[in-house]
Amino acid sequence: MTRLGLGLAALGRPAYITLGREEDLGDDRGVAAMRARTWAVLDAAWARGVRYFDTARSYGRAEEFLAGWLRERGIAPGAATTGSKWGYAYVGGWRMDAEHHEVKELSAERLRRQLDQTRELLGEHLSLYQIHSATVESGVLEDEGVLDRLRALRAEGVAIGLSTTGPRQADTIARAVEIGTFDTVQSTWNLLERSAGGALSRAHGAGMGVIVKEGVANGRLTARAAPAPLAAAARDRGVTPDALALAAVLAQPWAGVVLSGAVSVEQLHSNLGAAEVGWDTELDERLAGLAEDPETYWAGRGALAWA
């Protein structure tokens, strides 16, 4: 088994914000082609010991693709951990040129509706249901209608969590710890954006599971765009930049599951190489200067085009 999981954000729909998507996927992004690609990556992940799979209602057909794969491969509920998220709706219509690809609404009514949709697809495979991109400003963590429904879901045997986003991730995580209702938190932490580290450590200390997303910063920490210090350190260690970047996340004592966002079997194998990389203080010191101001990081992420 591995602590690395597989996220399907970039596999379940034709457009996403990762760098180099045109080169990675080519022109054929029809439903059948993306389903076949998703299943191939899932097969490779399973063979390598990946047992955590991350999806969401807004990831196009990702829940559908995952459910079909679980059924076709005869994987029993509980043999893998499947986490999904509610709050965003996919509105891209499977079009590359859609004006909007997803719309956010963190309401009790959307939770009710999307939970029904998720359960229709994933059934007993649903292990964890998370608020998608919760923020303090959204008010969702103070919405008793939402919290009561999540508590009821937890009583039914499904773990509940939240994912976070933006430069105030730490504030959102701190509030979730105060509430004491959530089993997990899924947050962005990477060599460029480290601001949530202290809050994630405290969440871990409070008994919450920590899932880390965007460990390669939507492609910025891969061979395609790696900053010079990361590229040089990877060459010196004989590994790929993405493996070294993910190894930095795995080295955090609070990190439980670290997600790969691979869209090909080759990318997946490169990402999973992180588990074999030894992290040490020399690397800590050498790459400390990569950290960006959170406002700068998130502004840059927001400017990424939906390829």
Side-chain angles (χ1 to χ4, degrees):
M1 302 299 176
T2 175
R3 287 168 57 206
L4 287 148
L6 178 64
L8 303 182
L11 280 166
R13 48 194 168 181
Y16 193 51
I17 60 174
T18 44
L19 298 179
R21 192 167 173 81
E22 299 93 335
E23 180 182 340
D24 293 337
L25 298 183
D27 294 331
D28 187 359
R29 301 190 208 178
V31 174
M34 292 301 290
R35 179 186 291 111
R37 177 179 289 274
T38 301
W39 283 27
V41 176
L42 285 166
D43 283 339
W46 186 266
R48 291 285 300 271
V50 173
R51 294 295 182 269
Y52 183 85
F53 302 107
D54 171 81
T55 184
R57 286 302 306 148
S58 62
Y59 293 172
R61 295 186 178 227
E63 284 186 339
E64 174 192 329
F65 292 170
L66 178 59
W69 177 79
L70 290 166
R71 182 174 58 252
E72 184 69 20
R73 299 298 184 260
I75 296 172
T81 301
T82 299
S84 193
K85 298 180 281 297
W86 69 274
Y88 280 93
Y90 177 65
V91 296
W94 210 262
R95 291 176 53 187
M96 297 290 294
D97 60 350
E99 183 178 359
H100 301 288
H101 294 270
E102 54 188 22
V103 176
K104 185 177 184 180
E105 180 190 315
L106 297 179
S107 68
E109 172 56 26
R110 177 158 287 186
L111 167 58
R112 181 198 64 76
R113 185 167 63 252
Q114 291 195 321
L115 176 59
D116 287 346
Q117 294 166 343
T118 296
R119 280 182 149 170
E120 183 176 354
L121 289 167
L122 291 173
E124 294 182 0
H125 286 286
L126 181 63
S127 313
L128 168 66
Y129 213 45
Q130 303 161 93
I131 304 172
H132 200 165
S133 295
T135 63
V136 172
E137 298 87 348
S138 71
V140 67
L141 298 181
E142 314 306 326
D143 187 328
E144 286 303 319
V146 167
L147 295 178
D148 285 347
R149 183 64 190 95
L150 289 175
R151 292 183 185 111
L153 181 61
R154 191 184 194 211
E156 296 167 19
V158 177
I160 59 172
L162 72 158
S163 72
T164 66
T165 189
R168 294 186 61 196
Q169 285 190 110
D171 294 341
T172 306
I173 298 163
R175 181 62 186 133
V177 172
E178 289 175 1
I179 293 169
T181 294
F182 299 99
D183 299 298
T184 67
V185 60
Q186 179 172 315
S187 298
T188 295
W189 191 97
N190 57 56
L191 288 171
L192 303 176
E193 215 302 55
R194 312 182 191 198
S195 64
L200 291 171
S201 178
R202 289 186 287 275
H204 174 74
M208 294 175 68
V210 175
I211 304 162
V212 183
K213 59 186 174 76
E214 300 182 357
V216 296
N218 301 108
R220 292 179 62 195
L221 298 175
T222 67
R224 180 171 281 120
L230 175 62
R235 283 195 302 272
D236 291 348
R237 298 294 176 109
V239 298
T240 57
D242 56 285
L244 193 57
L246 290 171
V249 189
L250 288 170
Q252 305 310 306
W254 38 260
V257 173
V258 179
L259 295 178
S260 161
V263 297
S264 69
V265 171
E266 294 76 18
Q267 283 184 3
L268 177 73
H269 288 319
S270 183
N271 286 179
L272 295 181
E276 309 302 323
V277 177
W279 192 263
D280 52 44
T281 55
E282 189 269 336
L283 285 170
D284 266 334
E285 295 168 359
R286 187 172 180 178
L287 300 177
L290 295 181
E292 298 178 357
D293 173 78
E295 296 285 350
T296 301
Y297 176 88
W298 288 99
R301 184 189 184 281
L304 292 174
W306 281 76

